[in-house]
Amino acid sequence: MLLSDTIIAIATPPGVGALGIIRIAGPKAFELVDHFFIGADLLKADSHTIHFGVIQNEDEDPIDECLTFLFRAPNSYTGDDIIEISCHGSSYVLQAVIEIFLRQGVRLAKPGEFTMRAFLNGKMDLSQAEAVADLIASDSKSAHDLAIRQMRGGISEEISKLRQELIDFAALIELELDFGEEDVEFADRKKLQELIYKIRKYIQQLLQSFQLGNAIKQGVSTVIAGRPNAGKSTLLNALLNEERAIVTEIPGTTRDTVEEILNIKGVSFRLIDTAGIREARDQVEAIGVERTIASIATSQILVYVFDVTQITPQDVHIDIRSLRRENQAVLVVANKMDLNPYTKPEKFQLEQIPIITTSAKNRMNIEYLKESLYKLVIEEEVQEDSTIVSNLRHVGALQNADASLDAVLSGIDKYVTHDFIAMDIRQALHHLGEITGEIHTDDLLDSIFSRFCIGK
Amino acid sequence: MFPLYDVIVVGAGHAGCEAAIAAANMGSKVLLATMNMQTIAQMSCNPAMGGVAKGQIVREIDALGGNSGIVTDHTMVQFRMLNLSKGPAMWSPRAQSDRMQFARLWRNLLEQNDRIDFWQEMVTGIIIKQGRACGVKTGIGLEIPSKSVVLTNGTFLNGIIHIGEKQFGGGRAGEKAATGITEQLVKLGFESGRMKTGTPPRIDGRSLDWSKMELQPGDQVPGKFSFTDTPVLKNQMPCHIAYTNAQVHDTLKTGFDRSPMFNGRIQGQGPRYCPSIEDKINRFADRDRHQLFVEPEGRDTCEIYVNGFSSSLPEDIQYKALKKIPGFEACKMFRPGYAIEYDYFPPTQLDLSLETKLVKNLFFAGQINGTTGYEEAACQGLMAGINAHLTIKDEEAFILKRSEAYIGVLIDDLINKGTKEPYRMFTSRAEYRILLRQDNADIRLTPKAAHLGMNEMSKRMEIVNRKKQEQKAITKFFLTTSVTPEQINPILQQLESAPIRHAVKLNSILLRPGVNITTLSNALNYVNKFLSHYSDEAIYTSEVNIKYAGYIQKEQDMVDKMNRLEEVRLNDSIDYFELKSLSNEAREKLDQIKPRTIGQASRISGVSPSDISVLLVHMGR
C-alpha cells in the first residue's frame, strides 16, 4: 500500500439521494480534478473553498453540474490533498464521474482507507480511528455519544492512572528484589492487596460497562417471553405503536421470533417477540419454542409477560426461575389488567424484580414500561461522564489484566515469594499497557531511583 | 615484527581478558595490548564479583566458556548466595575476592593460552582501510596488523580524576589516561560522551575497631560460580557493616563547596544507583544514617574497601568524616576516594554483535559502551571476542535473545535504548527472569557455545548432559512415586498444611507452599535414598522446575507471544522519513538503529506503541 497513490470513492451511501459526494485524495487530486472541472482554476484556489462548475469527460461532454470542496494537505481529513465533488445523487452520474478518474490511474479506495490514511499521516491514533468506524455506524444518540467520547481518548486516561499506581507499587517490589541487601523500606503485602482490590473493582466496572457499551452500539437485546396468549405480540405492537406482529385470540399464533428496533430516549432496544412457551402441538411450534429459549439465552433483558386472569403466582415464579439466565435483567409484565382490574400485583412479586401492570390492548402503562426499560439500562449502570468500554480489544486486555491481578492475590495468599508476584504484576501491567501504551522496565527503575536512596 | 593477527584486543580489564580468551578459544590468533601488564584484570573498584543480577551474568559467562567464574572460584575469600529468602529467580551468588590473587590467576590463564600474544604499550589509533579495522597504531609509532579490533578501554579514554579541587589526567589511581582513540573515532563520525564513576577510600584494616561493627560472615555452605569442577571455598573471611551518622554527614557537608560534583566541574553523568556519599546525604537529607560495608581486599593484606563511601570530596574532608564513623575513630587512609570522568561511545552506534555500524570488524566492549561493573564488562568482552572471530570467518554473528540470557537483555538494551548513565544490570531489566536463573545458565547456554565450536566445550557438555539426565530421572520420580497419609501427614501437620486422605503422588506435596525437596528428603527415607544418587545442582533445578512449573509455563507463553513480533522482519530499505505518522523521534531513532525486527523496534526508546502500530499497518498487518 502506498501513501503516494491517489484514491477515490463515493462518500455517500449507495442508492438514490438528492446529492452524491465523491472524495478524491492524494497528490494528484488537484491536478486531475482541475483538468476535468470547468468553472474555476482549482490549482490557484485556496484551501477550504467551494467552487461551482461542470464536470466533463475526456470528450468534453458535460456529465453533471457540481460543487468542489478543496482541502489542501496537511489540513484535511487524511492529511493529503483532498477534493470532494458534490454531484447530483444519481448512481449513474456518480459512476460516470468516478470512471473518468479511474481511467487516469486513480485507484478505487479500499473500505476504511481514508481513515487508515488519516491514521498513517498522524491525524489520529489507533483507538480514535476505531472510534471513527463506530461513529459512522452509530444509529442512536447514545451510540454517537459513546463513539465521540472514545474518539477523544476516554478509557486510556482512566487506565493510565491505575497503571501508574500499580507501577509505583511494582517499583517497591522490584526495589526489594534488586536491592534486598540494602537498607531500604519494602513493599507491604497488605497495601498491595488493597491496591489490587481497588484496581480490580474498577476493571470489573469497566467490564460491566462493556455490556452497556456494546448494548448502545448494537442495541439492547430484549426478549419478550411468556406462555401462549399472554399478549406478547400485542405488547410488542403497543411498544412500537404499530401492527407489527400478527395478533389473534388463538394461542400459539406467533410461530417464530419477530425482531424490531425500538428507540427509547436515544437508546436502541432490539425487541424480540417469541413463540409462547408450552408443550408444542406440532413440529413448527416446537421449533418456535426452541428459538424462544435460544433468544432468552442470548438476550440482555427478559420481559416476562403473563395474563393476570390465567395464571397463579406459583406458575409465574416457576416460569421466571426456569427461563431467566444468571445475571439477566428481568422485567415482569402483568398483562390484561383490563380483564381483572382488582388484581394485586404484589402477590406475583418474586425477589426484587419489578412488576409492571399493563393492558397492552388499551396501551395502558406502556409509557411507564418504556421508562422502566430505559432505567434498567441507563440509571443502574451509568452515571454521567463515566467511562464506558465498547471495544472488544479493550475488553480482552481488561480480562487478561484481571486474571493476572487475581493471580497476584492468590500468590499473596499462598505466601509465594515476591519474584513470582512481581511477574503477575508485570503481566497485569502489560495487559493494561495494551490499552494505553507499553510499559518499559525503565519506568520501574526511574520510579525506584527518584524515591529511594540506593547504592553502596 | 608482528604477524597478522586475527583479533587485537585493546585493554586487559575484565572485558579485554574475556574477549582475548574467547577469541582464542574459538581458534583466532590474538594479541592482547595493554598499557601495563602489571595491572591485567585489576579490580579497580570493589573487590567482589557477582551480586543480584550480576551473579547470574557470571554464571552465564561460565556457561558460555568464559573464565570469570573459574577465576572467582579459585580466588574468593567469602561467598554468599543473596536473596535466599526470595524465589529461585532471585537467588544471586556473590563473592568477595582476593584482589591480587584474582588478577594473578587471570594473567596465568591468559599466558597458558598459546594463541594469545601480549604487547605492553598505549594504543593511540586504529588502522582503518576501506571502512574496515585492520590493525592498531601504538604510542611509539608501531603499526600492528590484524583482521579485527576489539576496544575495551574502560575508564582510560581521556580519563580525568577528581579529588576535591584537584584534578589530573589518569585512567585509574596512579595510571595515566589513554589519548588518541576518541579523537580519531569522532573524526570518523562517531558520537562520544562523558561518563563519571567513583570509588571509595582504601583504609588500613589494622587501624579499625571491628568490635564496633556488625559481623557479616559468608554462607555456612559456600557455593561457587563455575559449573566446572572448581574447588569449594574454605576458610572464609568475614565482612563488616558500619553506619554513618549525623556527625559524619555534617563533616562531609563542610567540604561541599570544594566538591567537583556540586560546583559543576564534573560534567559526566554518574550512576544513580551507585551514588557518592555526598550525593546520598544531599539527595536524601532526611536519612540520618547510611549503611557501609567494610570489605577485605584479600588474604595477605590489611587493605580495606569501604563499600558505600565513594567520594570525590577533598581528601582531608574524607579523612575527617571517616573518623566519625563508629569503629573508624583511629583509621588510617591508604588512599582517598576519587571520581573519574571518561569518554564513552553511545552504544546505539553498535550492532547486536557489538560491531560498530560505521567501521566493520571493529568491536566495542565494556565501559566504552557506557556500562559499569566487572560482570557487565566481562560478558560484553566474551561476546565481542566470539563475534570478532565469527566476523573474520564470515560466519553469522552470535546473538543471545532477551529470553535466553541476561547477556541478551544487556546488549539488547544498550543497542536499542542506549544509556544516559553507567548501565548496570538489575533483575528488573529482564522481563523473563524466572527463565533466566543462575541455576540453569548451563542448560540455557552451554549447548549454544558448544555449537559454535568453542574449545574445551565437550567436557562442559558432558556435565550439562549428565545434569539433564539426572533432572529427568528426579522429575519422573516425583511424578510417579506415591506417598501415603501415614507417611506424610505428620510433616504436613508441622507445616500447618492440610493433611491428605488418600495416597497421592509426591509431586503434589512438593507443589504446596512451604514444602521443598529438603523437607521431603528429611522426612521420607526412600526419597532421601533416591536423591543420594544425584548432584545437588540437578536436585535444585528439578525442584524449581516442578514447584514453579505453572509460573515457568506462563513466562514461556509470554516469550512465545513476544517472539512472534521478533519474527516480523523489518527491511533495511524502509524509509522511515516517509512514514509521516511516526513521531519525529521515532523516525530518527528507527533510521539510526535500523532494527532487524518489529520486536526490536518496540524496545527502542522513543518508539511508542502507536509508532509500532504504524509500522504494522504500513506492512499490511
Side-chain angles (χ1 to χ4, degrees), chain B residues 192-220:
Chain B
S192 77
R194 293 290 270 176
M195 275 194 177
K196 174 240 148 187
T197 188
T199 193
R202 309 300 197 272
I203 306 295
D204 185 338
R206 296 169 300 179
S207 65
L208 299 181
D209 181 352
W210 301 103
S211 67
K212 291 186 178 165
M213 303 177 213
E214 289 170 24
L215 193 71
Q216 193 185 37
D219 286 353
Q220 282 191 333

Short mmCIF file of all heavy atoms in Angstrom, two decimals, chain B residues 192-220:
data_model
loop_
_atom_site.label_atom_id
_atom_site.label_comp_id
_atom_site.label_asym_id
_atom_site.label_seq_id
_atom_site.Cartn_x
_atom_site.Cartn_y
_atom_site.Cartn_z
N SER B 192 30.61 10.72 20.73
CA SER B 192 31.14 10.29 22.02
C SER B 192 30.50 11.11 23.13
O SER B 192 29.90 12.15 22.87
CB SER B 192 32.66 10.46 22.06
OG SER B 192 33.00 11.82 22.24
N GLY B 193 30.60 10.62 24.37
CA GLY B 193 30.04 11.34 25.51
C GLY B 193 30.95 11.13 26.71
O GLY B 193 31.97 10.45 26.61
N ARG B 194 30.57 11.76 27.83
CA ARG B 194 31.38 11.63 29.04
C ARG B 194 30.56 10.94 30.11
O ARG B 194 29.36 11.24 30.28
CB ARG B 194 31.80 13.01 29.56
CG ARG B 194 32.75 13.76 28.68
CD ARG B 194 34.13 13.16 28.66
NE ARG B 194 35.02 13.70 29.70
CZ ARG B 194 36.26 13.24 29.90
NH1 ARG B 194 36.73 12.24 29.17
NH2 ARG B 194 37.03 13.76 30.83
N MET B 195 31.18 10.04 30.82
CA MET B 195 30.53 9.46 31.98
C MET B 195 31.42 9.61 33.19
O MET B 195 32.60 9.92 33.08
CB MET B 195 30.19 7.99 31.72
CG MET B 195 28.88 7.86 31.00
SD MET B 195 28.25 6.21 31.03
CE MET B 195 26.69 6.49 30.17
N LYS B 196 30.81 9.35 34.34
CA LYS B 196 31.54 9.55 35.59
C LYS B 196 31.28 8.36 36.49
O LYS B 196 30.17 7.82 36.52
CB LYS B 196 31.01 10.82 36.25
CG LYS B 196 31.55 11.12 37.61
CD LYS B 196 30.44 11.19 38.64
CE LYS B 196 30.93 10.72 39.99
NZ LYS B 196 29.87 10.61 40.98
N THR B 197 32.30 7.93 37.17
CA THR B 197 32.09 6.95 38.22
C THR B 197 33.03 7.30 39.36
O THR B 197 33.78 8.26 39.27
CB THR B 197 32.28 5.51 37.70
OG1 THR B 197 31.88 4.60 38.71
CG2 THR B 197 33.73 5.23 37.32
N GLY B 198 32.95 6.55 40.44
CA GLY B 198 33.77 6.92 41.58
C GLY B 198 34.15 5.70 42.39
O GLY B 198 33.62 4.60 42.17
N THR B 199 35.05 5.90 43.31
CA THR B 199 35.48 4.79 44.16
C THR B 199 35.75 5.34 45.56
O THR B 199 36.08 6.52 45.72
CB THR B 199 36.71 4.09 43.52
OG1 THR B 199 36.94 2.86 44.18
CG2 THR B 199 37.96 4.96 43.60
N PRO B 200 35.55 4.52 46.58
CA PRO B 200 35.74 4.99 47.96
C PRO B 200 37.20 4.96 48.38
O PRO B 200 38.03 4.38 47.67
CB PRO B 200 34.92 4.00 48.78
CG PRO B 200 34.93 2.75 47.99
CD PRO B 200 34.98 3.16 46.54
N PRO B 201 37.52 5.54 49.54
CA PRO B 201 38.89 5.47 50.05
C PRO B 201 39.25 4.03 50.46
O PRO B 201 38.37 3.22 50.76
CB PRO B 201 38.87 6.38 51.28
CG PRO B 201 37.45 6.53 51.65
CD PRO B 201 36.64 6.33 50.42
N ARG B 202 40.55 3.71 50.43
CA ARG B 202 41.03 2.43 50.96
C ARG B 202 41.67 2.72 52.32
O ARG B 202 42.35 3.74 52.50
CB ARG B 202 42.05 1.78 50.03
CG ARG B 202 41.61 1.66 48.58
CD ARG B 202 40.35 0.81 48.41
NE ARG B 202 40.18 0.39 47.03
CZ ARG B 202 39.55 1.08 46.10
NH1 ARG B 202 38.98 2.24 46.39
NH2 ARG B 202 39.47 0.63 44.86
N ILE B 203 41.43 1.80 53.25
CA ILE B 203 41.77 2.04 54.66
C ILE B 203 42.72 0.96 55.16
O ILE B 203 42.71 -0.17 54.66
CB ILE B 203 40.47 2.00 55.51
CG1 ILE B 203 39.42 2.97 54.95
CG2 ILE B 203 40.74 2.29 56.97
CD1 ILE B 203 39.81 4.42 55.02
N ASP B 204 43.50 1.30 56.15
CA ASP B 204 44.38 0.34 56.83
C ASP B 204 43.54 -0.44 57.84
O ASP B 204 43.06 0.13 58.83
CB ASP B 204 45.50 1.11 57.52
CG ASP B 204 46.52 0.18 58.15
OD1 ASP B 204 46.18 -1.00 58.42
OD2 ASP B 204 47.66 0.64 58.40
N GLY B 205 43.35 -1.72 57.59
CA GLY B 205 42.50 -2.55 58.45
C GLY B 205 43.01 -2.63 59.87
O GLY B 205 42.24 -2.86 60.81
N ARG B 206 44.34 -2.43 60.05
CA ARG B 206 44.92 -2.52 61.40
C ARG B 206 44.46 -1.37 62.29
O ARG B 206 44.58 -1.40 63.50
CB ARG B 206 46.45 -2.51 61.31
CG ARG B 206 47.02 -3.73 60.56
CD ARG B 206 48.48 -3.54 60.27
NE ARG B 206 48.73 -2.36 59.44
CZ ARG B 206 49.94 -1.97 59.04
NH1 ARG B 206 51.01 -2.64 59.40
NH2 ARG B 206 50.09 -0.89 58.29
N SER B 207 43.93 -0.30 61.65
CA SER B 207 43.54 0.88 62.43
C SER B 207 42.05 0.88 62.80
O SER B 207 41.55 1.83 63.38
CB SER B 207 43.85 2.14 61.62
OG SER B 207 43.03 2.17 60.46
N LEU B 208 41.33 -0.19 62.47
CA LEU B 208 39.88 -0.21 62.72
C LEU B 208 39.54 -0.99 63.98
O LEU B 208 40.22 -1.95 64.35
CB LEU B 208 39.15 -0.82 61.51
CG LEU B 208 39.32 -0.09 60.18
CD1 LEU B 208 38.53 -0.80 59.08
CD2 LEU B 208 38.88 1.37 60.29
N ASP B 209 38.45 -0.56 64.63
CA ASP B 209 37.95 -1.28 65.79
C ASP B 209 36.74 -2.11 65.36
O ASP B 209 35.62 -1.62 65.27
CB ASP B 209 37.55 -0.28 66.88
CG ASP B 209 37.05 -0.99 68.13
OD1 ASP B 209 36.88 -2.23 68.09
OD2 ASP B 209 36.84 -0.29 69.14
N TRP B 210 37.02 -3.38 65.06
CA TRP B 210 35.98 -4.24 64.48
C TRP B 210 34.85 -4.50 65.46
O TRP B 210 33.73 -4.81 65.05
CB TRP B 210 36.59 -5.57 64.04
CG TRP B 210 37.67 -5.41 63.02
CD1 TRP B 210 39.01 -5.50 63.24
CD2 TRP B 210 37.51 -5.10 61.64
NE1 TRP B 210 39.71 -5.26 62.08
CE2 TRP B 210 38.80 -5.02 61.07
CE3 TRP B 210 36.40 -4.88 60.83
CZ2 TRP B 210 39.03 -4.72 59.74
CZ3 TRP B 210 36.63 -4.60 59.49
CH2 TRP B 210 37.93 -4.51 58.96
N SER B 211 35.11 -4.37 66.75
CA SER B 211 34.09 -4.71 67.74
C SER B 211 32.91 -3.74 67.66
O SER B 211 31.83 -4.02 68.16
CB SER B 211 34.69 -4.69 69.14
OG SER B 211 35.05 -3.35 69.48
N LYS B 212 33.13 -2.57 67.05
CA LYS B 212 32.04 -1.60 66.96
C LYS B 212 31.19 -1.79 65.69
O LYS B 212 30.31 -0.99 65.41
CB LYS B 212 32.61 -0.18 66.98
CG LYS B 212 33.20 0.17 68.34
CD LYS B 212 33.62 1.60 68.38
CE LYS B 212 34.16 1.95 69.76
NZ LYS B 212 34.90 3.22 69.73
N MET B 213 31.52 -2.80 64.92
CA MET B 213 30.76 -3.02 63.68
C MET B 213 30.02 -4.36 63.76
O MET B 213 30.35 -5.21 64.56
CB MET B 213 31.71 -3.06 62.48
CG MET B 213 32.56 -1.81 62.35
SD MET B 213 33.70 -2.00 60.96
CE MET B 213 35.10 -1.06 61.56
N GLU B 214 29.01 -4.49 62.88
CA GLU B 214 28.30 -5.77 62.80
C GLU B 214 29.10 -6.73 61.93
O GLU B 214 29.65 -6.32 60.91
CB GLU B 214 26.94 -5.56 62.11
CG GLU B 214 25.92 -4.82 62.93
CD GLU B 214 24.71 -4.45 62.08
OE1 GLU B 214 24.44 -5.12 61.06
OE2 GLU B 214 24.03 -3.47 62.45
N LEU B 215 29.09 -7.99 62.34
CA LEU B 215 29.80 -9.00 61.56
C LEU B 215 28.90 -9.48 60.42
O LEU B 215 27.70 -9.67 60.59
CB LEU B 215 30.13 -10.17 62.48
CG LEU B 215 31.12 -11.20 61.94
CD1 LEU B 215 32.53 -10.61 61.88
CD2 LEU B 215 31.10 -12.46 62.81
N GLN B 216 29.49 -9.66 59.26
CA GLN B 216 28.72 -10.22 58.13
C GLN B 216 29.51 -11.41 57.57
O GLN B 216 30.35 -11.24 56.69
CB GLN B 216 28.49 -9.16 57.05
CG GLN B 216 27.46 -9.60 56.04
CD GLN B 216 27.31 -8.62 54.90
OE1 GLN B 216 28.29 -8.04 54.44
NE2 GLN B 216 26.09 -8.43 54.43
N PRO B 217 29.24 -12.61 58.08
CA PRO B 217 30.01 -13.77 57.65
C PRO B 217 29.53 -14.30 56.31
O PRO B 217 28.45 -13.92 55.84
CB PRO B 217 29.75 -14.80 58.75
CG PRO B 217 28.40 -14.44 59.28
CD PRO B 217 28.20 -12.96 59.06
N GLY B 218 30.30 -15.19 55.71
CA GLY B 218 29.88 -15.85 54.47
C GLY B 218 28.88 -16.96 54.78
O GLY B 218 28.57 -17.24 55.94
N ASP B 219 28.36 -17.60 53.72
CA ASP B 219 27.43 -18.72 53.89
C ASP B 219 28.12 -19.89 54.58
O ASP B 219 29.30 -20.14 54.34
CB ASP B 219 26.94 -19.20 52.51
CG ASP B 219 25.93 -18.24 51.91
OD1 ASP B 219 25.53 -17.29 52.61
OD2 ASP B 219 25.56 -18.46 50.73
N GLN B 220 27.36 -20.62 55.40
CA GLN B 220 27.94 -21.78 56.07
C GLN B 220 28.37 -22.83 55.06
O GLN B 220 29.41 -23.46 55.23
CB GLN B 220 26.94 -22.36 57.05
CG GLN B 220 26.90 -21.53 58.33
CD GLN B 220 26.12 -22.19 59.43
OE1 GLN B 220 25.22 -22.99 59.16
NE2 GLN B 220 26.46 -21.86 60.66
#
